[in-house]
Amino acid sequence: MIKALILAGGKGARLRPLALHIPKPIVPLANIPFLFFQIDRIKRAEITEIILSLSYQPRKITDIFGDGMKYGVTMRYTHEDLPRGTAGAFKASENLIDDTTVVLNGDILTDTDLLDVIRYHREKKADATIVTARVMNPVGYGLVDAAADGRVTRFTEKPPEDEVTGDTINAGIYILERSVLDRIPSEGAQSFERDLFPSMLADGARIYAYLTHDFWQDIGSPQKYLEASYGIISGRSKMPGYPQKSCPPNNWEKHQVSIDLVSILDGKCVVKTGVAIENSVLGESCRVEEGALIKDSVIWSGTRILPNARIERAIVGRQCHIGEGARLRPGTVLGDKSIVSDFSVI
Ligand code: GDD
Ligand code: MG
């Protein structure tokens, strides 16, 4: 039976200070722990057996998903005390794998139809299929070169900027035959990107690229996390069907406020008179006082925004305090419990 393996053991260093107290795979996106988006994508491909490969703060993740029953999947976990790299994590899951496997980086948001990728993989009789995507700025990604028939000719992980040719990147989703496991040593760290794919290509293994035209965005840095949030807010990327959250416009309906139709607000937020919210996400129990403006931003739960504060293109962690008249400029990222004093500009 085809199973999915989600690589969720990274530290999320580039998301700091955001992913300090919460591992990257469960940072809230549109107020939902991120992995729910991936689970939804996997279920749409009729795959219900999911292995989560964990390393960093595993308990915080297992506490949310448990055995997966509540979400209509069977969830199993593997855990590395020392991170074994992406391919090492696949190897560490060997005893749970009996067939072709869909492997996903745990930090990518996509609407790619995995069933179609599996169909393509079979048609090509590939040992491995790599989903690729075209991006505006390919720096900092793995680059994939392929021939006209889709066969991969080169895989280059994060080449230096002046060696970046082409705009087609590794989207972090692979279909792998079980035989690929035999190529990975049982001990130590191994990377798909730096070790396995280049060595498979050198051996003449059949690796194919499936170019996705669907929404694709990773959440590996604050800027990319914001882009993923805009993708959801604008409806360019779909929300998962669960967990269902009711969003009744309760305690802000009666005030004079301006909230655009697309912003996502948890029902437990309190929003006062004269507030304007545009293209933004507000987590549970945020409090926004008179005259504040929140635009193109994501505010995590329990944050308090005092009167006339202005927040634009920023990410604000949990339980922060944004002082009266304070201004957060575009690009600001505040970790949990940050305090911004009245009338300051940061
Ligand atoms: N279990 C486990 N163990 N998981 C790991 C480990 C490990 O040692 N190292 C990384 N991961 C997980 C991360 O949690 C993440 O979900 C995924 O593997 C990829 O690691 P990242 O650290 O996010 O890699 P990246 O973003 O620099 O690059 C990767 O993703 C790009 C697309 O977003 C590469 O696959 C690139 O080639 C690709 O273009
Ligand atoms: Mg990443």
Side-chain angles (χ1 to χ4, degrees), residues 55-282:
S55 174
Y56 181 65
Q57 299 187 334
R59 276 295 302 276
K60 291 192 177 164
I61 300 179
T62 53
D63 281 354
I64 292 184
F65 301 103
D67 62 7
M69 288 270 279
K70 257 207 274 187
Y71 309 110
V73 295
T74 305
M75 196 70 97
R76 292 206 172 79
Y77 301 93
T78 55
H79 176 253
E80 306 140 62
D81 291 327
L82 279 179
R84 287 194 54 193
T86 46
F90 179 45
K91 185 71 175 177
S93 312
E94 186 166 22
N95 61 346
L96 297 175
I97 290 169
D98 42 37
D99 197 351
T100 310
T101 307
V102 181
V103 178
L104 298 103
N105 284 356
D107 64 346
I108 47 149
L109 175 69
T110 184
D111 286 339
T112 304
D113 177 355
L114 298 176
L115 264 184
D116 200 49
V117 188
I118 295 166
R119 214 174 292 131
Y120 173 90
H121 172 82
R122 298 238 155 98
E123 195 181 284
K124 297 291 185 187
K125 298 191 168 48
D127 299 308
T129 294
I130 300 173
V131 175
T132 58
R134 288 220 167 96
V135 292
M136 296 284 274
N137 181 8
V139 173
Y141 291 106
L143 295 191
V144 182
D145 294 336
D149 68 346
R151 186 141 181 185
V152 174
T153 52
R154 197 159 65 136
F155 191 104
T156 327
E157 181 64 8
K158 303 191 183 91
E161 217 165 312
D162 55 343
E163 285 169 33
V164 172
T165 51
D167 60 356
T168 307
I169 61 142
N170 167 23
I173 302 174
Y174 320 119
I175 314 289
L176 303 175
E177 285 307 299
R178 197 179 189 286
S179 56
V180 170
L181 281 165
D182 301 337
R183 296 173 172 270
I184 307 169
S186 302
E187 305 282 321
Q190 273 263 316
S191 152
F192 281 127
E193 300 89 338
R194 295 184 192 280
D195 308 311
L196 188 80
F197 294 147
S199 87
M200 284 176 74
L201 286 173
D203 289 352
R206 296 173 67 84
I207 306 187
Y208 279 82
Y210 174 102
L211 179 65
T212 181
H213 298 286
D214 292 307
F215 184 90
W216 183 91
Q217 176 67 56
D218 73 289
I219 60 157
S221 69
Q223 189 50 44
K224 290 169 177 167
Y225 170 85
L226 266 186
E227 290 301 333
S229 304
Y230 300 152
I232 305 275
I233 295 169
S234 65
R236 280 178 296 133
S237 178
K238 293 180 202 71
M239 282 283 260
Y242 52 83
Q244 286 293 350
K245 277 209 168 183
S246 60
C247 254
N250 47 12
N251 25 17
W252 32 280
E253 195 180 42
K254 37 192 179 293
H255 303 285
Q256 265 207 307
V257 295
S258 153
I259 302 175
D260 62 7
L261 285 174
V262 292
S263 286
I264 298 169
L265 273 74
D266 185 276
K268 287 196 204 125
C269 291
V270 176
V271 178
K272 296 291 190 62
T273 311
V275 165
I277 300 174
E278 252 176 72
N279 194 40
S280 296
V281 180
L282 269 74

